[in-house]
Amino acid sequence: PSAAPMGLTRARAAHPTRLDHGPHKLAWAFPLRISSRTLPVMPVELGELIAEVKRVVWGIYRGARLPPSHDFSHVLRVVELASEIAEGEGLNERERGLVVLAALLHDVGIALRGSKEGHAAASAEYAKKLLISRLNDREVELVVTAVREHSWERATPPSSIISAVLQDADRLDALGAIGLARVFAYSGYVGRPLYYLEAPFPEDRELRGGDFAIDHIYEKLLRIPERLNTRTAKALAEERVAFIHAFLKELRREIRAMKTGF
Ligand code: FE
């Protein structure tokens, strides 16, 4: 383990902060100061490594220009949700530590490359470089594999409980009020309209989640519960899904009330 801090330093130096200027910098002034509060479960054994990985990951995110849906706040929420699920599923302290590491690193590929395309593999590759020699081989493999398997698009069945918890945590952050906020933030970022003017709600037509925000809610968000792995996450999802249904109901009412049809 003695060579490891070097590894972290090198990894950090290899990705100097880009774009460390501009209006987004202000938004980060606050999160920087609450670092000690944002990890609810801090397994003692892995505490130092977790704190170190968190600093490295933050260093990468603060220099990246990302949509608000995938910024460092998403990482922190996934860490917190993953900790909660891990605890609910009865994972031991060491396993909970591995879950936190996987959560911290799961989307780092997006921050490194500025693209979601193939990010799970990129994140896994980075996680491996960062963690090798800091954990035993089996644990490195557990974390790296969990990161590689977390992608929604690839729909890979989790090969371990660490992987199952990470998938669930990432998916829970796509539900509820925060999930909706993220859909609209991402839609704005990529220029995706809120809805299809001729038929705002996808009832008797094909879903086009890539083209319209409302369609994406039906295509992805409302299908998340059936793809959750753990009982703890399924329980946590219920209220969040109910909130999405309530939101859609009100949205439908407001849009239907419009006199200006297309
Ligand atoms: Fe994610």
Side-chain angles (χ1 to χ4, degrees):
S2 58
M6 288 284 291
L8 287 176
T9 311
R10 259 202 315 278
R12 188 179 203 175
H15 302 284
T17 55
R18 301 153 291 171
L19 298 169
D20 197 11
H21 52 77
H24 64 288
K25 203 181 168 189
L26 278 177
W28 291 119
F30 180 66
L32 252 182
R33 280 186 225 114
I34 54 166
S35 56
S36 59
R37 228 179 51 78
T38 46
L39 288 171
V41 174
M42 183 70 91
V44 179
E45 282 180 280
L46 290 174
E48 232 172 274
L49 178 60
I50 289 170
E52 208 172 326
V53 168
K54 191 182 173 197
R55 274 197 302 276
V56 171
V57 172
W58 161 242
I60 295 166
Y61 272 81
R62 70 189 295 217
R65 193 178 285 275
L66 295 162
S69 51
H70 294 83
D71 61 14
F72 197 60
S73 74
H74 166 65
V75 177
L76 294 178
R77 288 190 304 271
V78 173
V79 166
E80 188 138 355
L81 287 165
S83 299
E84 194 176 343
I85 298 165
E87 209 158 358
E89 295 297 305
L91 272 64
N92 66 37
E93 196 181 26
R94 187 83 187 171
E95 291 168 327
R96 295 205 305 270
L98 299 180
V99 161
V100 169
L101 287 169
L104 281 169
L105 289 159
H106 83 282
D107 275 347
V108 74
I110 300 179
L112 285 169
R113 310 181 321 158
S115 158
K116 278 171 77 182
E117 197 58 40
H119 78 273
S123 303
E125 198 184 312
Y126 185 83
K128 191 162 197 167
K129 274 188 227 158
L130 202 62
L131 298 174
I132 210 142
S133 83
R134 300 303 302 274
L135 299 166
N136 67 50
D137 291 353
R138 192 189 130 266
E139 290 177 332
V140 172
E141 193 54 31
L142 274 171
V143 174
V144 169
T145 304
V147 170
R148 192 182 301 117
E149 290 173 348
H150 92 274
S151 160
W152 169 263
E153 284 75 20
R154 297 290 295 275
T156 314
S159 60
S160 72
I161 184 66
I162 309 292
S163 181
V165 171
L166 176 62
Q167 284 189 355
D168 284 2
D170 194 35
R171 287 161 196 185
L172 277 180
D173 198 52
L175 293 177
I178 197 75
L180 291 168
R182 292 181 66 217
V183 168
F184 297 125
Y186 186 69
S187 298
Y189 189 81
V190 297
R192 175 172 62 186
L194 294 181
Y195 55 84
Y196 181 44
L197 285 174
E198 287 183 55
F201 289 86
E203 272 141 7
D204 303 316
R205 62 173 177 80
E206 219 183 309
L207 285 172
R208 289 167 59 184
D211 296 331
F212 305 105
I214 291 184
D215 281 40
H216 182 77
I217 294 170
Y218 285 90
E219 196 170 275
K220 179 179 177 183
L221 276 58
L222 293 178
R223 284 179 183 166
I224 285 174
E226 68 204 48
R227 276 175 56 182
L228 290 172
N229 304 300
T230 65
R231 288 169 61 121
T232 306
K234 283 175 191 166
L236 289 169
E238 277 175 28
E239 244 179 287
R240 289 175 180 240
V241 171
F243 182 82
I244 292 176
H245 283 299
F247 172 83
L248 287 171
K249 193 177 167 200
E250 171 63 11
L251 189 67
R252 191 184 295 256
R253 196 189 66 75
E254 291 176 17
I255 291 174
R256 278 213 180 127
M258 295 288 162
K259 301 277 187 286
T260 51
F262 184 61

PDB file of all heavy atoms in Angstrom, residues 69-70 74-75 78 106-107 110 119 150 170-171 173 182, ligand 1:
ATOM      1  N   SER A  69     -27.265  17.434 -14.651  1.00  0.00           N
ATOM      2  CA  SER A  69     -27.746  16.079 -14.370  1.00  0.00           C
ATOM      3  C   SER A  69     -26.611  15.121 -14.017  1.00  0.00           C
ATOM      4  O   SER A  69     -26.835  14.096 -13.387  1.00  0.00           O
ATOM      5  CB  SER A  69     -28.493  15.550 -15.596  1.00  0.00           C
ATOM      6  OG  SER A  69     -27.691  15.715 -16.759  1.00  0.00           O
ATOM      7  N   HIS A  70     -25.408  15.440 -14.445  1.00  0.00           N
ATOM      8  CA  HIS A  70     -24.293  14.517 -14.241  1.00  0.00           C
ATOM      9  C   HIS A  70     -23.090  15.176 -13.580  1.00  0.00           C
ATOM     10  O   HIS A  70     -21.960  14.771 -13.801  1.00  0.00           O
ATOM     11  CB  HIS A  70     -23.886  13.885 -15.577  1.00  0.00           C
ATOM     12  CG  HIS A  70     -24.946  12.995 -16.139  1.00  0.00           C
ATOM     13  ND1 HIS A  70     -26.017  13.479 -16.863  1.00  0.00           N
ATOM     14  CD2 HIS A  70     -25.129  11.660 -16.051  1.00  0.00           C
ATOM     15  CE1 HIS A  70     -26.790  12.469 -17.203  1.00  0.00           C
ATOM     16  NE2 HIS A  70     -26.291  11.365 -16.724  1.00  0.00           N
ATOM     17  N   HIS A  74     -24.527  14.691  -8.424  1.00  0.00           N
ATOM     18  CA  HIS A  74     -25.053  13.348  -8.733  1.00  0.00           C
ATOM     19  C   HIS A  74     -24.185  12.283  -8.055  1.00  0.00           C
ATOM     20  O   HIS A  74     -24.702  11.344  -7.450  1.00  0.00           O
ATOM     21  CB  HIS A  74     -25.108  13.137 -10.249  1.00  0.00           C
ATOM     22  CG  HIS A  74     -25.310  11.703 -10.667  1.00  0.00           C
ATOM     23  ND1 HIS A  74     -26.456  10.993 -10.378  1.00  0.00           N
ATOM     24  CD2 HIS A  74     -24.491  10.837 -11.324  1.00  0.00           C
ATOM     25  CE1 HIS A  74     -26.340   9.756 -10.856  1.00  0.00           C
ATOM     26  NE2 HIS A  74     -25.156   9.635 -11.423  1.00  0.00           N
ATOM     27  N   VAL A  75     -22.894  12.450  -8.147  1.00  0.00           N
ATOM     28  CA  VAL A  75     -21.968  11.487  -7.530  1.00  0.00           C
ATOM     29  C   VAL A  75     -22.227  11.398  -6.028  1.00  0.00           C
ATOM     30  O   VAL A  75     -22.341  10.310  -5.466  1.00  0.00           O
ATOM     31  CB  VAL A  75     -20.499  11.908  -7.796  1.00  0.00           C
ATOM     32  CG1 VAL A  75     -19.535  10.961  -7.086  1.00  0.00           C
ATOM     33  CG2 VAL A  75     -20.222  11.937  -9.292  1.00  0.00           C
ATOM     34  N   VAL A  78     -25.452   9.586  -5.279  1.00  0.00           N
ATOM     35  CA  VAL A  78     -25.331   8.140  -5.500  1.00  0.00           C
ATOM     36  C   VAL A  78     -24.533   7.492  -4.358  1.00  0.00           C
ATOM     37  O   VAL A  78     -24.868   6.403  -3.900  1.00  0.00           O
ATOM     38  CB  VAL A  78     -24.704   7.837  -6.888  1.00  0.00           C
ATOM     39  CG1 VAL A  78     -24.409   6.349  -7.044  1.00  0.00           C
ATOM     40  CG2 VAL A  78     -25.654   8.291  -7.994  1.00  0.00           C
ATOM     41  N   HIS A 106     -18.180   5.849 -10.329  1.00  0.00           N
ATOM     42  CA  HIS A 106     -18.988   5.212 -11.368  1.00  0.00           C
ATOM     43  C   HIS A 106     -19.133   6.031 -12.657  1.00  0.00           C
ATOM     44  O   HIS A 106     -19.187   5.472 -13.742  1.00  0.00           O
ATOM     45  CB  HIS A 106     -20.354   4.782 -10.819  1.00  0.00           C
ATOM     46  CG  HIS A 106     -21.398   5.854 -10.786  1.00  0.00           C
ATOM     47  ND1 HIS A 106     -21.439   6.840  -9.835  1.00  0.00           N
ATOM     48  CD2 HIS A 106     -22.441   6.094 -11.613  1.00  0.00           C
ATOM     49  CE1 HIS A 106     -22.480   7.624 -10.073  1.00  0.00           C
ATOM     50  NE2 HIS A 106     -23.108   7.196 -11.143  1.00  0.00           N
ATOM     51  N   ASP A 107     -19.183   7.342 -12.538  1.00  0.00           N
ATOM     52  CA  ASP A 107     -19.366   8.179 -13.734  1.00  0.00           C
ATOM     53  C   ASP A 107     -18.136   9.020 -14.063  1.00  0.00           C
ATOM     54  O   ASP A 107     -18.229   9.951 -14.873  1.00  0.00           O
ATOM     55  CB  ASP A 107     -20.557   9.126 -13.532  1.00  0.00           C
ATOM     56  CG  ASP A 107     -21.893   8.482 -13.885  1.00  0.00           C
ATOM     57  OD1 ASP A 107     -21.901   7.398 -14.511  1.00  0.00           O
ATOM     58  OD2 ASP A 107     -22.938   9.069 -13.533  1.00  0.00           O
ATOM     59  N   ILE A 110     -17.395  10.175 -17.529  1.00  0.00           N
ATOM     60  CA  ILE A 110     -18.130  11.298 -18.125  1.00  0.00           C
ATOM     61  C   ILE A 110     -17.367  12.595 -17.880  1.00  0.00           C
ATOM     62  O   ILE A 110     -17.202  13.423 -18.776  1.00  0.00           O
ATOM     63  CB  ILE A 110     -19.559  11.407 -17.530  1.00  0.00           C
ATOM     64  CG1 ILE A 110     -20.364  10.126 -17.804  1.00  0.00           C
ATOM     65  CG2 ILE A 110     -20.290  12.629 -18.108  1.00  0.00           C
ATOM     66  CD1 ILE A 110     -21.778  10.150 -17.218  1.00  0.00           C
ATOM     67  N   HIS A 119     -19.164   5.497 -21.198  1.00  0.00           N
ATOM     68  CA  HIS A 119     -18.524   6.024 -19.985  1.00  0.00           C
ATOM     69  C   HIS A 119     -18.299   4.976 -18.898  1.00  0.00           C
ATOM     70  O   HIS A 119     -17.383   5.106 -18.092  1.00  0.00           O
ATOM     71  CB  HIS A 119     -19.329   7.201 -19.416  1.00  0.00           C
ATOM     72  CG  HIS A 119     -20.559   6.799 -18.662  1.00  0.00           C
ATOM     73  ND1 HIS A 119     -21.771   6.594 -19.257  1.00  0.00           N
ATOM     74  CD2 HIS A 119     -20.747   6.552 -17.345  1.00  0.00           C
ATOM     75  CE1 HIS A 119     -22.646   6.250 -18.339  1.00  0.00           C
ATOM     76  NE2 HIS A 119     -22.060   6.217 -17.164  1.00  0.00           N
ATOM     77  N   HIS A 150     -22.615  -0.798 -14.337  1.00  0.00           N
ATOM     78  CA  HIS A 150     -23.684   0.081 -13.847  1.00  0.00           C
ATOM     79  C   HIS A 150     -24.535   0.705 -14.958  1.00  0.00           C
ATOM     80  O   HIS A 150     -25.635   1.167 -14.712  1.00  0.00           O
ATOM     81  CB  HIS A 150     -23.124   1.178 -12.936  1.00  0.00           C
ATOM     82  CG  HIS A 150     -22.767   2.448 -13.645  1.00  0.00           C
ATOM     83  ND1 HIS A 150     -21.552   2.667 -14.241  1.00  0.00           N
ATOM     84  CD2 HIS A 150     -23.485   3.579 -13.880  1.00  0.00           C
ATOM     85  CE1 HIS A 150     -21.535   3.854 -14.790  1.00  0.00           C
ATOM     86  NE2 HIS A 150     -22.686   4.438 -14.606  1.00  0.00           N
ATOM     87  N   ASP A 170     -27.710   4.383  -8.505  1.00  0.00           N
ATOM     88  CA  ASP A 170     -27.666   5.258  -9.678  1.00  0.00           C
ATOM     89  C   ASP A 170     -29.067   5.431 -10.265  1.00  0.00           C
ATOM     90  O   ASP A 170     -29.453   6.516 -10.702  1.00  0.00           O
ATOM     91  CB  ASP A 170     -26.717   4.642 -10.712  1.00  0.00           C
ATOM     92  CG  ASP A 170     -26.342   5.615 -11.817  1.00  0.00           C
ATOM     93  OD1 ASP A 170     -26.210   6.817 -11.529  1.00  0.00           O
ATOM     94  OD2 ASP A 170     -26.190   5.167 -12.974  1.00  0.00           O
ATOM     95  N   ARG A 171     -29.839   4.373 -10.252  1.00  0.00           N
ATOM     96  CA  ARG A 171     -31.201   4.416 -10.810  1.00  0.00           C
ATOM     97  C   ARG A 171     -32.160   5.172  -9.908  1.00  0.00           C
ATOM     98  O   ARG A 171     -33.058   5.875 -10.404  1.00  0.00           O
ATOM     99  CB  ARG A 171     -31.679   2.989 -11.097  1.00  0.00           C
ATOM    100  CG  ARG A 171     -30.947   2.459 -12.332  1.00  0.00           C
ATOM    101  CD  ARG A 171     -30.944   0.972 -12.492  1.00  0.00           C
ATOM    102  NE  ARG A 171     -29.890   0.626 -13.470  1.00  0.00           N
ATOM    103  CZ  ARG A 171     -29.658  -0.585 -13.923  1.00  0.00           C
ATOM    104  NH1 ARG A 171     -30.398  -1.585 -13.481  1.00  0.00           N
ATOM    105  NH2 ARG A 171     -28.710  -0.793 -14.797  1.00  0.00           N
ATOM    106  N   ASP A 173     -31.435   7.719  -8.226  1.00  0.00           N
ATOM    107  CA  ASP A 173     -31.186   9.144  -8.434  1.00  0.00           C
ATOM    108  C   ASP A 173     -31.828   9.642  -9.730  1.00  0.00           C
ATOM    109  O   ASP A 173     -31.828  10.837 -10.016  1.00  0.00           O
ATOM    110  CB  ASP A 173     -29.684   9.455  -8.435  1.00  0.00           C
ATOM    111  CG  ASP A 173     -29.413  10.948  -8.216  1.00  0.00           C
ATOM    112  OD1 ASP A 173     -29.962  11.503  -7.231  1.00  0.00           O
ATOM    113  OD2 ASP A 173     -28.699  11.561  -9.028  1.00  0.00           O
ATOM    114  N   ARG A 182     -33.323  16.244 -13.178  1.00  0.00           N
ATOM    115  CA  ARG A 182     -32.188  15.824 -14.016  1.00  0.00           C
ATOM    116  C   ARG A 182     -32.607  15.625 -15.472  1.00  0.00           C
ATOM    117  O   ARG A 182     -31.855  15.954 -16.394  1.00  0.00           O
ATOM    118  CB  ARG A 182     -31.568  14.542 -13.449  1.00  0.00           C
ATOM    119  CG  ARG A 182     -30.884  14.771 -12.099  1.00  0.00           C
ATOM    120  CD  ARG A 182     -30.272  13.493 -11.571  1.00  0.00           C
ATOM    121  NE  ARG A 182     -29.162  13.036 -12.408  1.00  0.00           N
ATOM    122  CZ  ARG A 182     -28.891  11.769 -12.677  1.00  0.00           C
ATOM    123  NH1 ARG A 182     -29.649  10.811 -12.184  1.00  0.00           N
ATOM    124  NH2 ARG A 182     -27.867  11.460 -13.436  1.00  0.00           N
TER     125      ARG A 182
HETATM  126 FE    FE B   1     -24.578   7.880 -12.611  1.00  0.00          FE
END
